[in-house]
Amino acid sequence: MTGLWKVRLEATAFRADQFPLQDVPEIAVAGRSNVGKSSLVNKLLGSRLAHVGATPGKTRSINFFAVESPACPFRLVDLPGYGYASRSKGERNQWSALIDSYVSNRASLELVLHLADFRHGLLANDTALQDWLSHLDLPLLVVFTKGDKISKGARRGTLQKYIRNGLKSVDVPIITSAEKGDGIQDLRLFLEKYLASGDHTSPGGSPEE
Ligand SMILES: Nc1nc2c(ncn2[C@@H]2O[C@H](COP(=O)(O)OP(=O)(O)OP(=O)(O)O)[C@@H](O)[C@H]2O)c(=O)[nH]1
Ligand SMILES: [Mg+2]
C-alpha cells in the first residue's frame, strides 16, 4: 500500500508563462484525445479535480496537480490530447505549441506517462510522440487505459502483441481501468518507487545502459 497522497490543483496554464516554478519533479500524462488522461489522473489522485468529457478535446490547458506523497512532493501534469481532428487547424496548432513549450523546456519533467487505449494499442501519432520524446531524452512509461473493455483472459495476449509490435517504455506497460480501478495501485507504487530512486538521468528503457 502507498500512503495517502494529498493533492490540490496548483495551476492551469494556457501559456508558458503560467507554468509553476520548476521546484519539484513532474510526471506528465500524455496521449491522444479521449484516451482517458484526465480520468486516470483523477483515479490516481483519488479526486475529481480533472475535468473528464465524453467528447474528445475536453482538456485544453495544462493542469498541474501538486501531490504530497510519502516518496516526495511532486506534480502530476494533465496535458491536452493530440490527434483530435475536428478542431480548427489554428486551435490544433496552438495546443501542440503549448504542449511543445512544456515538454521541450522542462528540466523538472522526469517521466511521461504515455497513455494508449488498450483496445487499439499504439497508433501512428502515438509512435510519433514516442519518437519525439526519445529524441528529447525524456523517459516514458506506456500505460494502457480502458482495460475494462478487454476481457481479463485476453489481456495478457493483447499486451504481448503490443509489445511485439514495438513500443518504448521504461518498464512493462501497465494496464489500467479508471472505471474499475484495475492497475491503479500498481501505477501508484511504480511512481513512488520511480520518484524515490531519484536518479533518472539515463532515460530509454534499454536494460544494457
Ligand atoms: N470504460 C472506460 N471508459 C473510460 C476509462 N477512462 C476514461 N473513460 C472514458 O473516456 C472518455 C474520455 O475520458 P477523459 O479522461 O476526459 O479523456 P482525456 O484523455 O483526458 O481527453 P482529452 O482531455 O479530450 O484529451 C470519458 O467518457 C471517460 O468516461 C476507463 O478506464 N474505462
Ligand atoms: Mg483530459
Side-chain angles (χ1 to χ4, degrees), residues 32-39 50-53 57-61 63 78-81:
R32 294 165 59 83
S33 275
N34 214 42
V35 73
K37 296 176 294 299
S38 301
S39 302
H51 299 294
V52 168
K58 182 70 183 172
T59 307
R60 296 160 188 232
S61 49
N63 294 290
D78 188 14
L79 298 173

Side-chain angles (χ1 to χ4, degrees), residues 19-28 64 75 77 99-112 136-139 194-195 198-201 203:
F19 298 164
L21 288 177
Q22 302 189 54
D23 47 1
V24 294
E26 291 179 345
I27 292 173
F64 295 83
R75 289 191 196 104
V77 182
I99 298 172
D100 184 75
S101 70
Y102 172 73
V103 169
S104 312
N105 304 301
R106 199 75 179 165
S108 54
L109 179 57
E110 300 211 343
L111 178 70
V112 176
L136 293 172
D137 269 355
L138 275 169
Y194 192 87
L195 289 162
D199 175 26
H200 318 301
T201 48

Side-chain angles (χ1 to χ4, degrees), residues 44 174-177 181-188:
L44 273 174
I174 298 178
I175 304 164
T176 63
S177 166
D182 302 346
I184 300 299
Q185 191 62 4
D186 292 343
L187 183 54
R188 273 195 206 118

Side-chain angles (χ1 to χ4, degrees), residues 51-188:
H51 299 294
V52 168
T55 50
K58 182 70 183 172
T59 307
R60 296 160 188 232
S61 49
I62 298 185
N63 294 290
F64 295 83
F65 298 95
V67 185
E68 283 171 44
S69 79
C72 65
F74 72 98
R75 289 191 196 104
L76 201 63
V77 182
D78 188 14
L79 298 173
Y82 51 81
Y84 178 40
S86 318
R87 298 227 172 254
S88 73
K89 205 167 174 201
E91 195 167 0
R92 268 186 282 151
N93 286 341
Q94 207 183 322
W95 285 1
S96 47
L98 180 66
I99 298 172
D100 184 75
S101 70
Y102 172 73
V103 169
S104 312
N105 304 301
R106 199 75 179 165
S108 54
L109 179 57
E110 300 211 343
L111 178 70
V112 176
L113 301 180
H114 178 196
L115 272 52
D117 190 318
F118 196 45
R119 293 169 296 180
H120 310 309
L122 270 63
L123 303 178
N125 47 11
D126 290 308
T127 307
L129 176 80
Q130 294 223 317
D131 291 344
W132 181 48
L133 295 178
S134 304
H135 179 73
L136 293 172
D137 269 355
L138 275 169
L140 51 91
L141 176 77
V142 173
V143 175
F144 287 111
T145 60
K146 309 192 185 184
D148 54 280
K149 300 274 193 183
I150 303 269
S151 73
K152 283 208 165 128
R155 286 184 198 171
R156 201 184 148 85
T158 304
L159 178 63
Q160 295 305 332
K161 182 181 77 186
Y162 292 150
I163 292 174
R164 272 200 309 276
N165 289 349
L167 48 80
K168 297 187 176 78
S169 184
V170 293
D171 210 322
V172 179
I174 298 178
I175 304 164
T176 63
S177 166
E179 197 116 303
K180 305 273 187 235
D182 302 346
I184 300 299
Q185 191 62 4
D186 292 343
L187 183 54
R188 273 195 206 118

